[in-house]
Every structure is written in C-alpha cells, then in structure tokens.
Amino acid sequence: METRVLGRTGREVSVIGLGTWQLGGDWGDVGAEAAGQVLDAAAESGVTFFDTADVYGDGRSEQAIGAWLAAHPDAGVMVATKMGRRMPQVPENYSLERFREWLDRSRRNLGRDTLDLVQLHCPPTSVYSDDRVFDALDQLVDEGVMRHYGVSVETADEALAAIARPHVATVQIIFNPFRLKPLDEVFPAAVEAGVGIVVRVPLASGLLSGKYSRSTTFPEGDHRNYNRTGSAFDVGETFSGVDFEQGLDAVAEFQKLVPAGLTTAQAALAWIISQPGVSTVIPGARNADQARANAASAAGAASLGPEFGAGVRRIYDAYFREAIHPRW
C-alpha cells in the first residue's frame, strides 16, 4: 500500500483510506460484529486512515472505531472525525463552547484524549471567513484536544477559502470520474499550499461499483433512497448529485474503459489516487470483502494509461459537465 503525507499534518497515511459512514447505519444496518470485520479487513490490507463523523449513526460509527482501537492499540491508524452537524446549521453554533461539547463527546466515543484530525463538517459558507472560528480551533490544538484540523467542504470556493487558512491541514471534497470540478483550481491550490486532499464519495454512492441497475432499490433509511433531491442534506453526498438513471448510462460507458484485472470500482479508485494533489481517498465498505477490494485498488493505478483519463473526461463532458459545473 502506497503512503503519502497528509498535508500539514506531516503524517504518512495510506492512499486508500476507509470511510465509515456505513458503520453508522445510514446505508442500511451494519452490526457491531460486521463493523469490526470491516475495520479488521481494512487494516490488514494496509489502510492506515479511518474517516468518521460524530453524526454517523449519532456516534455509532465513532464508537465502533473506538472499540476497535481499544482492541488494537498499536495499529498505527490515523482517525479523522468531523463536527458541526449536531445542531442547526447557523454560523452562531460554530463557537469554542460548542466545539468543546462536540469534541468531548467524540473523544469519549473514540477513547482518545487527543483526536488526530478534526474536520468542520460542511459548515455554512460564512464560517470560512470568520476568524473567531479558526482562533477557537487553534486554541483547541494548543490545549491538546486535537492535533490538527481541516474542513469538509461542499463547493470549490469553500475549498479554496479553507486552503487559504494558514493552519488548515486538510480539505475533504467530493471527487470522482463523475465530479471533476476540483481538478480546475482546488487540487493545484492544495498542492501549492501543502494542504492535504481527502477525497470522499469516490464511487458516487456506489454508482461506480457497476452493480446497480434501474431495478435496484434501497432501504427506506438509506440516503440513496430519501436524499436523491437533496431534501435531507447536500445532494452531492448522494450519487455525487447526478441523476441516478443518467448515472447508470455513464457507468456503462465507464466500464468500457476498465482494463482487465480491475473491477469498475477499483478502476475508479485507482484513477482518483493518480491525480496530483490527492492524499487519500475514503471509500466506504459494508463488509470485509468490500474493504479488501477497495484497498487492492491501490495497485491498479499503474495499469491506467492516458487513454483511460481521456475517456473519463469524454464521459464527463457528455453526461455531467453542463449540469455539475454551474452548481459549484
């Protein structure tokens, strides 16, 4: 497993990480035993970066990781969590008092006195220009509540604002073959500033697994069922904001590009980590086999030639550019 320095944290992490939203139960139920198996499989495959959030299953994901860390104290895994979604999304709630409250809960869930990396969880846009927010984050670093902080963003402009902050270590952003806008400005700016890029929604909520069809259904509590129009949270978090049926057509074209020896998902992940500026990508997994397959994609980048990248852009231009770019 290749490792890269995660921006201003200075820490080496695996290029394939693990997103643990699934372990919170928001993608269908995943029990404690299955969650442990996912974490085991990822770590055994060389994954050294776990991403979670305090709202994934109302702390259930953090607790699963905390239990795993207690059983594997020498695993050497870096854990990134997020905060800010436990209350209404108004700038006033992004305060030192609230940060202490949220992070004390995350520290209990994860069983750690000092958190490795804390990310603001897609805060209101005005937060990025509020010096008091970042002064509070700096104070919490000084106090040892966390080692580093970053921001999980929804738009390219928010990413650029975060990158300009001197102590922001990482930016987490949606990026995949169906969502190319970050390549324009965000990735070059991150490289220049030394800020780490954590890629989320890399498989477009499973579209790029190549396993869905027009007859596929999702459980009632699965966001791929109830958030297709963005009625619950940012639509970009569900299928990267693309229309499901149109996405299926694009996947069919994408699969024609996939070289022998790689699955559709592995090809997508391998292409993502081949992009300059990407530090790590955090696909989720509901079972151990998925975690192993995701980790194995790290070895696939070498098999993707320039024709693959040209094909990705051709598909994006044909299906998504007109709809996706104006939203950013």
Side-chain angles (χ1 to χ4, degrees), residues 208-292:
L208 281 161
S209 71
K211 297 179 180 180
Y212 299 161
S213 70
R214 281 170 170 76
S215 62
T216 300
T217 60
F218 300 97
E220 182 178 352
D222 190 315
H223 73 100
R224 291 169 294 182
N225 181 4
Y226 66 78
N227 193 55
R228 291 193 185 190
T229 62
S231 58
F233 43 81
D234 178 49
V235 70
E237 307 291 345
T238 303
F239 301 128
S240 295
V242 308
D243 176 77
F244 181 69
E245 284 73 21
Q246 187 180 37
L248 292 174
D249 292 337
V251 168
E253 294 298 317
F254 181 82
Q255 288 177 313
K256 298 175 184 177
L257 305 175
V258 177
L262 295 180
T263 66
T264 306
Q266 288 173 332
L269 294 171
W271 179 80
I272 289 168
I273 64 173
S274 71
Q275 304 309 303
V278 172
S279 305
T280 187
V281 57
I282 51 171
R286 292 191 61 199
N287 57 59
D289 287 343
Q290 288 180 355
R292 294 188 190 97

Side-chain angles (χ1 to χ4, degrees), residues 117-288:
L117 174 65
V118 174
Q119 303 155 102
L120 298 182
H121 200 168
C122 300
T125 300
S126 61
V127 166
Y128 295 87
S129 59
D130 191 339
D131 290 342
R132 293 173 298 177
V133 170
F134 293 91
D135 289 344
L137 294 170
D138 287 336
Q139 182 173 336
L140 292 168
V141 171
D142 291 341
E143 293 176 3
V145 174
M146 57 186 177
R147 292 184 177 87
H148 308 281
Y149 64 83
V151 180
S152 182
V153 305
E154 291 179 346
T155 72
D157 286 343
E158 289 173 350
L160 293 170
I163 288 168
R165 288 282 174 177
H167 299 145
V168 166
T170 62
V171 167
Q172 184 177 136
I173 193 167
I174 299 170
F175 175 70
N176 60 56
F178 295 170
R179 185 97 164 198
L180 301 188
K181 183 64 182 291
L183 289 173
D184 293 350
E185 296 180 78
V186 174
F187 287 7
V191 170
E192 183 175 356
V195 171
I197 290 290
V198 178
V199 171
R200 74 175 187 277
V201 199
L203 300 179
S205 304
L207 263 177
L208 281 161
S209 71
K211 297 179 180 180
Y212 299 161
S213 70
R214 281 170 170 76
S215 62
T216 300
T217 60
F218 300 97
E220 182 178 352
D222 190 315
H223 73 100
R224 291 169 294 182
N225 181 4
Y226 66 78
N227 193 55
R228 291 193 185 190
T229 62
S231 58
F233 43 81
D234 178 49
V235 70
E237 307 291 345
T238 303
F239 301 128
S240 295
V242 308
D243 176 77
F244 181 69
E245 284 73 21
Q246 187 180 37
L248 292 174
D249 292 337
V251 168
E253 294 298 317
F254 181 82
Q255 288 177 313
K256 298 175 184 177
L257 305 175
V258 177
L262 295 180
T263 66
T264 306
Q266 288 173 332
L269 294 171
W271 179 80
I272 289 168
I273 64 173
S274 71
Q275 304 309 303
V278 172
S279 305
T280 187
V281 57
I282 51 171
R286 292 191 61 199
N287 57 59

